[in-house]
Amino acid sequence: MHRRAARFTTPRLPRRRRRLAARGRGRQADYYVDLRRITLDGEAAPLVGRVMRRLTDHLDYDAVGGLTLGADPVATSMLHAAAASGERLDAFVVRKAGKAHGLQQRIEGPSVEGRRVLVVEDTTTTGASPLDAVSAAREAGAEVVAVATIADRATGAGERIEAETGVPYLFVYGLEELGLA
């Protein structure tokens, strides 16, 4: 199994940012990990970018993105973290379906054709969103180097992603680190 958690101590968020909403969503669970409260927060989002870049610093990629909406703030945080370090990293958005008008593109942002890309997501439960994003990126001519997520819900999605795509699956927090195990 290639899945691995971050090999570093993840910084703790301010107390008010660590709350987790308890409710079911999608797959039935006793909890809901609401990471949009972190990824869209002006204080926490820069930290998200730095942590995700640190998690993937051993990989070679020049664009990051995934299926809208969960991946958008993660990719944008990483783009800004790279810029703050004097590096360039492009972000892209994968639509759930191609537009019916305009250019009818499934991927928005700079072209991923011929580029090494990282697919990201905020929380991984079934793996369907990153699998869809990997497929769309490959169809657009990208080489996907890995899938990375902030929180893995330990549902077997990581194994599924690795088996179906052949790329590593990385995550920062598991259920234990989130206090849910």
Side-chain angles (χ1 to χ4, degrees):
M1 178 172 8
H2 296 99
R3 186 174 64 155
R4 67 178 180 83
R7 291 185 195 167
F8 56 90
T9 303
T10 50
R12 293 189 58 84
L13 294 171
R15 184 171 230 31
R16 64 188 176 90
R17 303 283 194 265
R18 286 186 271 142
R19 292 177 298 205
L20 298 175
R23 67 180 176 125
R25 180 176 170 171
R27 229 179 194 189
Q28 289 299 316
D30 295 332
Y31 57 86
Y32 169 53
V33 181
D34 186 7
L35 286 180
R36 287 183 190 93
R37 297 178 81 179
I38 294 170
T39 61
L40 295 172
D41 180 87
E43 182 180 6
L47 180 60
V48 168
R50 290 193 304 270
V51 168
M52 292 296 285
R53 294 221 345 122
R54 183 183 248 172
L55 174 69
T56 61
D57 65 3
H58 64 287
L59 299 171
D60 178 28
Y61 58 95
D62 60 357
V64 60
L67 198 66
T68 198
L69 176 72
D72 301 347
V74 178
T76 304
S77 292
M78 292 178 73
L79 173 148
H80 288 292
S85 297
E87 299 173 31
R88 174 157 184 180
L89 179 65
D90 289 334
F92 62 92
V93 174
V94 179
R95 294 177 179 276
K96 294 181 184 191
K99 284 173 49 177
H101 60 282
L103 297 176
Q104 300 177 352
Q105 298 181 124
R106 180 113 194 266
I107 296 183
E108 297 291 343
S111 174
V112 297
E113 185 176 4
R115 299 176 78 185
R116 295 174 57 85
V117 304
L118 174 69
V119 169
V120 295
E121 153 167 84
D122 56 359
T123 305
T124 304
T125 302
T126 66
S129 293
L131 286 171
D132 193 12
V134 167
S135 177
R138 286 177 170 165
E139 287 173 16
E143 178 187 348
V144 179
V145 299
V147 171
T149 187
I150 300 170
D152 177 74
R153 292 182 62 180
T155 58
E159 293 83 354
R160 178 180 176 203
I161 290 166
E162 288 183 334
E164 292 184 27
T165 66
V167 301
Y169 172 75
L170 311 172
F171 62 93
V172 179
Y173 297 107
L175 292 180
E176 193 170 304
E177 290 91 1
L178 295 173
L180 298 170

